[in-house]
Amino acid sequence: MPSTIPLGLLATPTRHLFFTGKGGVGKTTLACAAALALADRGRSVLLISTDPASNLDEMFATTLSNEPRPVPGVLRLSAMNIDPEAAAESYRRRVLEQLGADVTDAERESVRERLSGACTMEIAAFDEFVGLLATRADAFDHVVFDTAPTGHTLRLLSLPRAWTGFLEGNDRGASCLGPHSGLKMQEERFKAALATLGDPKSTTIVLVSRPDRGAMREAARTSAELKALGLTNQHLAINGIFVATDRGDAVARSIEALGEQVLAALPEALRGLPQDRVPLRSFDMVGLDALRQVLAGEPELRVEAVTDAEPAAETAIPALGRLVDELASAGRGLIMVMGKGGVGKTTIAAALAVGLVKRGHSVHLSTTDPAAHLASTIEATMEGLRVDRIDPREETQRYVERVMASRAADLDSAGLALLREDLASPCTEEVAVFHAFSRIVMEARSAFVVLDTAPTGHTLLLMDAAGAYHREMIRTAGALGTPAAGRIVTPLMRLQDPDYSRIILVSLPETTPVSEAAALQEDLRRAHIEPYAWVINRSLVGSGTHDPLLVRRLHGERAQIDRVRQGLARRLYMLPWQATPPEGPTALAGLVV
């Protein structure tokens, strides 16, 4: 039975609490609220974000780093971000320090360049994570992890097993990490981390979801994959349960009914888990007061107490169909849809693809998201639309077969053994996925390609890989004096070309998604990639609701829409809240007329 007290799991909490789930379901909110509640009870707590696009700083209105810092205004609570870039730089320094005195400056620079990719960043972040499990945990009663969206988190949690298996019998380390990396020396720490994660007395995995079909499907899939990794102590937290206050409000009743339908049809994998249900709040979950209210409730809302007297803001913002018209005029190109997890990137990407097909174009719709949902969103075949995904396992197998076929003939048995050993490294997946991404990017030279990207942090790692590849190509061509060096076109250069690529940032009209999209925009601009447009998704503005909780949320929506329109977006489009989740070609086409 579900707990009647929000986060009943805190009644007897384990030392480690992992909050994970689909992007946008409220992992950070619940992780922060849980950490705060434990600290208020007198426990010493360390809150850690493993998300490359962490927003803990905004939640607590303070500046955090990759070292624990006390949270102002809260005794016994410290927080930190595992900064992938800082962790990677520290890791690079340790590797370079192991190089012998006879290594030249050029060789050192070559090693540093090979350590600049996303794989190194992932390994370094994981090494930091393992260190926290092994050492810092002893200084705190509880360690609460606010994780990245599901696909990235599954990758992180599977690394102990992946690296432990790879290191067995391998005393060289992985070539993708650079020579003399000393990775073998970390093997015992990796094994200890895996044991800690799988110990039900030590670790609880909190699967966070919303009363939404897609979020529940992903929670069920995640539950099964984590159990396969040996992480069996799981708890389900359903966030954002809405009950209409104004029983005569059709919009409010519709939202409530949709949630009830989802809760009544929980996937089998989730039904047996202990469960908490957290109600939807009318306020932004930012700041200590708001975070304490998440679990303590809020004052009763009366129907007559709140009215929505402001004029409809959506009249000045073009609809999604206008954006499709503009994109279609180019005749071909790459359209990348980006944003925080849970903002509706997949829906927007699918709608843009369907809209382009309806306007007479052939479209390749794909995704880089490890937790891909394109198939369930499209639901049916459509002439002129090709739908697939970059599957890491398939791409890795294809890459390994290609490398073996091209190099095996020139190697003896010892060389083949070394090659197979290198290709068994988890780093191979990074290389394979990047090759697949590059291949799809190049398709847009003659057709439309719509790419639904992974949530922000994972996408930034992919951009980092593109940058590392670009620098290596330019450096190599320059060093060789290749005549064609000036004609090299890398995937990063394609993304930087506004005539070739259109970057669409998607956000909900809420503080955190807007802030994260703004941060992503700045990251892209530092890479000389200029976003083409923003899309505000699922806005209640203009819905006509009079429910007091929804109306209070509307006031916050308008403030965020003005924030985007007045200072962030060069072009802004809006997709209003839909009473029925848009799935299938017909429903998607209706969004872009």
Side-chain angles (χ1 to χ4, degrees):
M1 292 294 293
S3 166
T4 56
I5 303 173
L7 293 192
L9 69 93
L10 297 182
T12 55
T14 54
R15 166 168 281 186
H16 304 109
L17 298 173
F18 275 83
F19 286 80
T20 188
K22 189 179 189 302
V25 295
K27 295 183 302 295
T28 299
T29 296
L30 295 189
C32 290
L36 189 55
L38 289 170
D40 285 345
R41 292 183 195 172
R43 311 285 182 86
S44 60
V45 182
L46 175 61
L47 174 62
I48 303 170
S49 174
T50 68
D51 191 342
S54 171
N55 64 322
L56 286 188
D57 299 54
E58 184 174 30
M59 300 296 284
F60 290 119
T62 190
T63 301
L64 300 174
S65 71
N66 59 343
E67 290 291 332
R69 291 185 178 179
V71 173
V74 188
L75 295 176
R76 296 173 293 276
L77 176 60
S78 297
M80 63 176 288
N81 295 314
I82 295 182
D83 183 338
E85 292 186 5
E89 181 56 33
S90 175
Y91 188 84
R92 279 189 287 268
R93 283 199 303 269
R94 295 201 302 274
V95 171
L96 291 169
E97 286 168 1
Q98 296 179 49
L99 297 179
D102 57 335
V103 174
T104 67
D105 290 343
E107 289 171 334
R108 286 181 180 276
E109 185 57 34
S110 176
V111 171
R112 170 172 281 280
E113 185 60 41
R114 279 186 283 169
L115 288 168
S116 65
C119 181
T120 299
M121 192 174 293
E122 183 177 63
I123 299 306
F126 171 67
D127 191 57
E128 186 86 8
F129 163 74
V130 169
L132 290 166
L133 277 178
T135 58
R136 294 286 175 79
D138 293 337
F140 297 89
D141 295 323
H142 299 284
V143 181
V144 178
F145 290 87
D146 167 37
T147 71
T150 307
H152 196 276
T153 296
L154 285 171
R155 172 70 176 161
L156 175 70
L157 294 180
S158 67
L159 277 174
R161 179 167 295 177
W163 281 111
T164 298
F166 172 66
L167 290 170
E168 290 177 356
N170 177 358
D171 59 5
R172 300 185 312 110
S175 64
C176 67
L177 300 180
H180 313 296
S181 68
L183 188 62
K184 178 76 173 179
M185 298 171 60
Q186 308 296 330
E187 184 174 2
E188 291 306 315
R189 289 177 66 190
F190 294 167
K191 288 181 177 178
L194 185 60
T196 299
L197 292 171
D199 181 3
K201 295 181 180 179
S202 176
T203 302
T204 302
I205 306 296
V206 185
L207 301 169
V208 183
S209 186
R210 281 188 178 272
D212 168 83
R213 280 200 302 165
M216 287 297 182
R217 282 195 298 261
E218 182 153 331
R221 182 184 64 85
T222 302
S223 175
E225 293 196 24
L226 291 177
K227 285 179 179 177
L229 291 171
L231 282 67
T232 58
N233 186 24
Q234 301 177 7
H235 195 105
L236 178 63
I238 305 175
N239 187 35
I241 303 292
F242 175 71
V243 178
T245 304
D246 184 349
R247 306 306 296 177
D249 187 311
V251 173
R253 291 296 299 274
S254 176
I255 294 174
E256 179 182 332
L258 286 173
E260 289 175 342
Q261 292 168 16
V262 172
L263 295 176
L266 281 181
E268 186 65 33
L270 302 179
R271 291 179 189 172
L273 297 181
Q275 182 188 131
D276 290 331
R277 296 183 179 183
V278 182
L280 183 70
R281 301 304 185 190
S282 66
F283 47 83
D284 270 333
M285 316 299 185
V286 177
L288 297 180
D289 291 341
L291 290 170
R292 285 191 170 102
Q293 282 185 284
V294 169
L295 302 186
E298 62 180 320
E300 180 181 355
L301 296 172
R302 295 165 51 192
V303 174
E304 64 272 21
V306 185
T307 58
D308 182 21
E310 296 183 39
E314 82 284 359
T315 55
I317 302 177
L320 203 59
R322 178 85 64 84
L323 174 57
V324 177
D325 290 339
E326 294 178 11
L327 296 173
S329 65
R332 55 106 183 118
L334 174 68
I335 300 164
M336 288 186 69
V337 183
M338 300 183 180
K340 177 179 168 63
V343 298
K345 295 185 304 297
T346 299
T347 296
I348 299 298
L352 295 178
V354 168
L356 289 168
V357 171
K358 289 291 186 180
R359 287 159 176 78
H361 299 280
S362 294
V363 179
H364 179 191
L365 173 62
S366 190
T367 181
T368 65
D369 194 341
H373 301 287
L374 276 180
S376 60
T377 301
I378 294 292
E379 284 192 339
T381 59
M382 182 180 185
E383 186 175 354
L385 179 63
R386 177 161 65 98
V387 181
D388 61 21
R389 61 179 291 235
I390 296 177
D391 184 291
R393 291 181 182 177
E394 291 181 4
E395 294 300 337
T396 300
Q397 181 179 353
R398 185 179 296 121
Y399 176 77
V400 168
E401 291 173 351
R402 187 166 63 247
V403 171
M404 292 297 297
S406 65
R407 297 178 59 184
D410 300 324
L411 298 174
D412 58 18
S413 58
L416 279 174
L418 289 174
L419 179 59
R420 289 193 182 97
E421 187 178 279
D422 274 349
L423 291 174
S425 160
C427 286
T428 300
E429 183 179 299
E430 174 210 338
V431 178
V433 168
F434 176 70
H435 274 273
F437 168 72
S438 301
R439 186 172 64 247
I440 289 177
V441 167
M442 295 306 178
E443 284 183 25
R445 288 175 294 181
S446 57
F448 275 113
V449 174
V450 179
L451 200 55
D452 166 36
T453 69
T456 306
H458 200 279
T459 297
L460 288 176
L461 292 179
L462 185 60
M463 295 296 100
D464 178 78
Y469 176 81
H470 172 82
R471 291 189 297 273
E472 179 66 14
M473 288 288 291
I474 299 301
R475 186 189 67 80
T476 301
L480 296 175
T482 305
R487 298 196 297 274
I488 289 176
V489 179
T490 67
L492 179 62
M493 295 166 70
R494 294 292 190 188
L495 298 178
Q496 292 170 335
D497 182 355
D499 293 327
Y500 191 94
S501 300
R502 303 284 194 275
I503 308 299
I504 311 298
L505 299 182
V506 181
S507 178
L508 300 179
E510 300 171 9
T511 301
T512 298
V514 170
S515 294
E516 187 159 323
L520 172 59
Q521 179 164 263
E522 289 306 308
D523 284 328
L524 291 170
R525 285 173 172 168
R526 280 191 287 273
H528 307 291
I529 300 171
E530 182 61 37
Y532 180 79
W534 284 54
V535 174
I536 295 293
N537 190 27
R538 296 205 296 264
S539 175
L540 284 167
V541 171
S543 66
T545 182
H546 299 290
D547 185 273
L549 187 147
L550 297 182
V551 169
R552 287 192 178 182
R553 290 180 67 87
L554 266 173
H555 294 318
E557 281 195 12
R558 287 197 173 92
Q560 294 306 315
I561 290 171
D562 286 343
R563 176 185 172 195
V564 174
R565 181 162 45 185
Q566 295 172 10
L568 293 173
R570 294 188 173 185
R571 300 174 183 85
L572 178 61
Y573 305 85
M574 181 181 285
L575 181 61
W577 171 81
Q578 307 291 310
T580 302
E583 295 182 344
T586 301
L588 292 167
L591 305 180
V592 290
V593 293

